[in-house]
Amino acid sequence: IRIKISTKMQPEKHAIQETSFELPGQTGFYRGKVRDVYTIQQDKLVMVASDRIPAFDHILPRPIPYKGQVLNQIATHFLQATADIVPNWLDSVPDPNVAIGKACTPYRVEMVIRGYLVGHAWRTYQAGERTLCGVTLPEGMQENEAFPEPIITPATKAEEGHDEDISREDIIKQGIVSEADYLQLEQYTRALFQRGTEMAAERGLILVDTKYEFGQKDGQIYLIDEIHTPDSSRYFYADGYTERLARGEHQKQLSKEFVREWLMAHGFQGKEGQVMPEM
């Protein structure tokens, strides 16, 4: 597939806010929070990683130049590095912003896995709750502390609006995913997180939490979308982690949490009636 990128430009030079291709054999189009997804003859997907940045399931008004190609290339790196654990959707990357691969039927859950008490899990814990997605959280933990072992806290995959926390029991009970498939998704999730943790450690980082999405094609489960990117994951710097934890200080991290914190400080959490401020 040869395409000439024609984008709706923002004042920021080179920023890709959105695309509007008409590709040979195109049978569908979907604009996600970050990616513009083109379906080719119901069999292939062409994903264009834009420079949009979402938070609280809303798109910030201004894109970040080159964010999309960095995102796409990080995702490609980790998909290739984990292909021995689970087959994935990716076939080729013909452009820094573009990935082409298999069109799979997505499972309607995101497999969120957390190694540390931070972000949404910490906000839940701080509110006095000790159960998250059916998982019991230990008493006496502090922010940024490691769980005894990583916990899986799934979320339903919403086409519009907020993804919602859900337990393993409810996923199976409601028939969202069969029990056999869900247990396999959990197994893949833990193995992927272990590999990501090892790769992060080689670079002086701690993989704190992340999420994986899976789909099915011809009876085969595939890992789909991005993995281990700053959009889907949170990293701490390993150097100084223990000392900062002991002092109760914020951790030095690589993630979108600073965006969320800035938005919350400006009165926005994606709730009804709130207006997204311009960053």
Side-chain angles (χ1 to χ4, degrees):
I1 295 172
R2 292 187 178 185
I3 56 178
K4 179 182 177 182
I5 291 189
S6 173
T7 62
K8 177 181 177 183
M9 302 298 290
Q10 291 290 305
E12 295 86 349
K13 190 178 180 183
H14 304 305
I16 300 174
Q17 176 77 333
E18 60 185 48
T19 62
S20 53
F21 300 132
E22 292 184 10
L23 305 178
Q26 181 174 321
T27 53
F29 173 74
Y30 168 74
R31 177 162 289 130
K33 294 167 189 170
V34 174
R35 289 169 175 79
D36 291 349
V37 183
Y38 299 82
T39 305
I40 309 298
Q41 296 177 344
Q42 310 300 327
D43 184 56
K44 294 283 186 184
L45 294 182
V46 177
M47 287 195 181
V48 182
S50 76
D51 295 328
R52 301 188 293 269
I53 178 164
F56 298 117
D57 295 312
H58 287 68
I59 308 299
L60 273 70
R62 296 172 65 180
I64 298 174
Y66 301 110
K67 172 184 175 288
Q69 62 177 258
V70 172
L71 185 72
N72 191 47
Q73 290 175 86
I74 292 173
T76 298
H77 174 72
F78 281 108
L79 286 169
Q80 292 171 344
T82 56
D84 61 315
I85 295 174
V86 55
N88 64 64
W89 76 284
L90 186 68
D91 290 336
S92 63
V93 184
D95 179 271
N97 286 82
V98 180
I100 299 176
K102 304 168 190 67
C104 302
T105 302
Y107 289 99
R108 292 186 294 114
V109 293
E110 288 186 345
M111 299 298 289
V112 180
I113 183 166
R114 304 174 187 275
Y116 294 75
L117 182 61
V118 65
H120 171 59
W122 169 246
R123 290 189 284 271
T124 300
Y125 198 87
Q126 205 175 22
E129 297 181 40
R130 292 295 180 268
T131 303
L132 182 60
C133 300
V135 178
T136 301
L137 306 177
E139 289 289 349
M141 291 189 70
Q142 66 183 101
E143 185 177 13
N144 302 324
E145 186 178 349
F147 290 114
E149 63 178 45
I151 63 172
I152 294 177
T153 58
T156 55
K157 185 66 179 164
E159 292 187 14
E160 292 183 7
H162 290 278
D163 298 338
E164 298 288 343
D165 290 345
I166 191 169
S167 67
R168 170 209 274 194
E169 291 73 21
D170 284 342
I171 289 170
I172 296 169
K173 182 180 178 181
Q174 296 175 26
I176 298 172
V177 180
S178 72
E179 183 171 8
D181 281 0
Y182 186 79
L183 293 177
Q184 181 65 74
L185 298 187
E186 280 198 341
Q187 183 178 326
Y188 283 147
T189 295
R190 293 193 182 280
L192 289 165
F193 190 70
Q194 180 62 32
R195 177 69 55 81
T197 297
E198 293 165 0
M199 293 178 71
E202 292 172 1
R203 295 294 182 265
L205 297 171
I206 297 169
L207 179 57
V208 176
D209 53 33
T210 190
K211 59 99 174 174
Y212 305 109
E213 297 185 44
F214 297 91
Q216 193 177 84
K217 184 178 177 66
D218 301 327
Q220 172 74 57
I221 295 176
Y222 288 92
L223 177 62
I224 61 174
D225 202 36
E226 63 182 273
I227 68 164
H228 298 164
T229 72
D231 262 19
S232 66
S233 314
R234 189 191 324 262
Y235 292 90
F236 288 157
Y237 285 85
D239 185 30
Y241 163 77
T242 303
E243 292 79 6
R244 284 187 287 271
L245 183 69
R247 293 193 296 263
E249 296 176 357
H250 287 298
Q251 290 294 333
K252 185 180 178 185
Q253 61 174 286
L254 291 172
S255 75
K256 286 199 307 183
E257 188 64 16
F258 76 96
V259 176
R260 300 184 193 99
E261 288 175 353
W262 185 90
L263 290 170
M264 287 189 289
H266 287 76
F268 185 82
Q269 285 183 265
K271 296 178 180 177
E272 190 173 347
Q274 294 181 339
V275 178
M276 168 82 78
E278 184 163 317
M279 177 180 279

